[in-house]
């Protein structure tokens, strides 16, 4: 297993080129299951989750060729309609094979992905949507089995604008006869990118990026090419890292409108921002000012995937408290305990008025932080320590902490970080960071 060793305290200065979005690439690659023709996807990041997706496509029967950031997917043999648990447990997004395979073969069997470090993450919204389209749902030995004699377009109202459920239902309804309407759909840029690709394949989707998406099912989809959007979470991570280290960075190949909520908060913290159509320059000349409150929300609100790095940034503000409320996942504060090892002062927020004082979800559990709200008391500095990544973004938060901390930080379990960031240490070395990867 690899770990990162970071000697902190150096400002990041220079230019970083942003990779394609991991979370857009995953459903786009899996939607190649909808056609028998060749698809080529460009600007796919090189990361562990993409490797897992490639293995999944190959297992299901596709031929996958990769050249740098381009991936060509062609037919090789008749597709299987079962995703193996071995791959699903490595990457929950594997459940996104359900939509395309159900639409094409009217049956699919997928292991239930189970919970993960950030929450329980059920897939009930996906399944209710498939039922509305005419599928039956049954369970066997930890797998969910979807079957249908006949699928038909339907009007589906999601109880929550789930990103994955919107993607799965989009990928099935494009091949299902009749009209489908997804209400309360997720509006994330990754949804728009997926719909763009599906439309290039011949799908008829209107309204992606809005709360109501309309789909008219077509008989078949053809091959297409597509370039994936820039990774807005990678952009956000580097913007925050620059702010924490008092640096001066140019991020090339960005979509500034995808990180609007973050840019607003960074400005309020004192960052100087120059925004161009596909480039952002950020300069931070002093310690970040404290922001009173951050609440994670669905797009276009502040993204949950940047909550952890933001928590690190607030540790470097010198006065004041930042209240951080996590509204998307119920257990996404594992990094708080690791930051505390580096000297962070983070406390669990008191329960809102009216809630029983002993409510377990708001208490400190097993030395970690559980619940939905924490308060960061900025002290202006952290010191290096050995810490452990628990998920992709918690790992990113520790990298930011290590870069700006005094002394040496050792981050173990960096395989979490490798799932979602392409060569993060090389990109950071290129802008002056002292970070290296070593074998544990
Ligand atoms: N939820 C349900 N039932 C469902 C689906 C979701 O209760 O059927 C709940 C989840 O448990 C969670 C909330 O709804 O509490 C949001 O889940 P959503 O389905 O929107 O998220 P996702 O599709 O599982 C994607 C990203 C996440 C990102 C979230 C929110 C991918 C592969 N993953 O997950 O990215 O945090 O949307 O924006 O696109 C990451 O990259 O580190 C990451 C976790």
């Amino acid at each position: 297993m690899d770990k990162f060793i970071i000697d902190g305290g150096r400002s990041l200065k220079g230019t970083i080129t942003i990779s394609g979005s991991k979370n857009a690439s995953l459903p786009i690659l899996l939607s190649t299951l909808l056609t028998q023709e060749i698809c080529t996807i460009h600007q796919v990041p090189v990361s562990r989750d993409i490797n897992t997706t490639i293995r999944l496509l190959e297992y299901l029967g596709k031929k996958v060729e990769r050249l740098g950031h381009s991936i060509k997917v062609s037919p090789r043999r008749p597709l299987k309609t079962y995703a193996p648990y071995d791959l699903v447990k490595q990457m929950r997004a594997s459940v996104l094979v359900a939509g395309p395979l159900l639409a094409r073969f009217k049956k699919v069997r997928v292991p239930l992905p189970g919970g993960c470090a950030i929450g329980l993450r059920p897939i009930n919204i996906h399944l209710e949507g498939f039922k509305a389209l005419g599928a039956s749902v049954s369970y066997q030995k930890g797998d969910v089995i979807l079957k249908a004699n006949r699928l038909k377009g339907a009007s589906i109202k999601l109880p929550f604008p789930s990103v994955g459920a919107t993607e799965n239902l989009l990928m099935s309804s494009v091949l299902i006869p009749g009209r489908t309407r997804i209400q309360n759909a997720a509006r994330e840029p990754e949804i728009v990118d997926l719909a763009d690709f599906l439309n290039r394949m011949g799908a008829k989707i209107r309204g992606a990026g809005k709360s109501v998406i309309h789909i008219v099912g077509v008989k078949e989809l053809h091959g297409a090419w597509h370039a994936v959007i820039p990774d807005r979470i990678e952009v956000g991570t580097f913007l925050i890292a620059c702010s924490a280290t008092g640096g001066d960075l140019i991020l090339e190949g960005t979509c500034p409108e995808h990180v609007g909520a973050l840019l607003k908060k960074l400005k309020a913290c004192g960052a100087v921002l120059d925004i161009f159509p596909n480039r952002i320059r950020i300069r931070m000349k002093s310690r970040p000012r404290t922001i009173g409150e951050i609440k994670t929300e669905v797009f276009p609100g502040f993204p949950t995937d940047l909550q952890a790095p933001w928590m690190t940034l607030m540790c470097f503000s010198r006065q004041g408290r930042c209240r951080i409320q996590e509204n998307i996942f119920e257990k996404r504060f594992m990094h708080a305990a690791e930051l505390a090892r580096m000297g962070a002062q983070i406390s669990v927020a008191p329960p809102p008025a009216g809630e029983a004082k002993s409510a377990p979800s708001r208490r400190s559990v097993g030395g970690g932080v559980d619940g939905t709200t924490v308060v960061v008391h900025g002290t202006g500095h952290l010191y290096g320590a050995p810490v452990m990544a628990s998920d992709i973004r918690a790992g990113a938060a520790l990298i930011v902490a290590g870069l700006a901390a005094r002394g040496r930080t050792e981050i173990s379990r960096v395989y979490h970080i490798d799932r979602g960031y392409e060569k993060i240490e090389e990109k950071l070395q290129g802008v002056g960071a002292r970070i290296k990867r070593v074998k544990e």
Side-chain angles (χ1 to χ4, degrees), residues 53-95:
T53 309
I54 291 174
R55 277 165 53 210
L56 185 56
L57 286 171
E58 287 173 340
Y59 173 89
L60 292 170
K62 291 285 191 184
K63 178 176 172 198
V64 184
E65 294 160 278
R66 184 174 189 166
L67 189 66
H69 292 109
S70 297
I71 294 185
K72 181 173 160 193
V73 186
S74 344
R76 193 180 57 196
R77 48 177 165 71
L79 292 180
K80 289 184 184 143
T81 56
Y82 173 65
Y85 180 55
D86 195 34
L87 293 177
V88 176
K89 75 178 183 211
Q90 287 178 44
M91 187 187 71
R92 331 181 69 264
S94 308
V95 296

Side-chain angles (χ1 to χ4, degrees), residues 223-238:
W225 72 270
H226 183 77
V228 173
I229 53 169
D231 196 309
R232 65 191 168 105
I233 306 303
E234 189 193 27
V235 172
T237 304
F238 289 136

Side-chain angles (χ1 to χ4, degrees), residues 287-293 310-324 336 339-340 342-350 369 373-382:
R287 299 253 169 221
R289 285 198 288 271
T290 304
I291 299 293
E293 188 171 61
W310 184 270
M311 189 183 290
T312 302
L313 179 65
M314 287 298 94
C315 296
F316 290 97
S317 77
R318 210 166 251 150
Q319 25 16 48
R321 298 161 175 209
C322 177
R323 208 179 146 84
I324 300 181
L339 290 172
M342 300 177 72
Q345 293 192 11
I346 300 169
S347 56
V348 182
V369 177
T373 307
V374 298
V375 177
V376 182
H377 309 255
T379 56
H381 64 269
L382 293 178

Side-chain angles (χ1 to χ4, degrees), residues 22-23 121-126 162-164 305 328-329 393:
K22 164 190 84 95
N23 287 349
R121 305 185 75 178
I123 57 164
N124 58 314
I125 304 176
H126 305 229
S162 151
V163 173
D305 291 343
I328 307 297
F329 293 103
R393 313 304 172 186

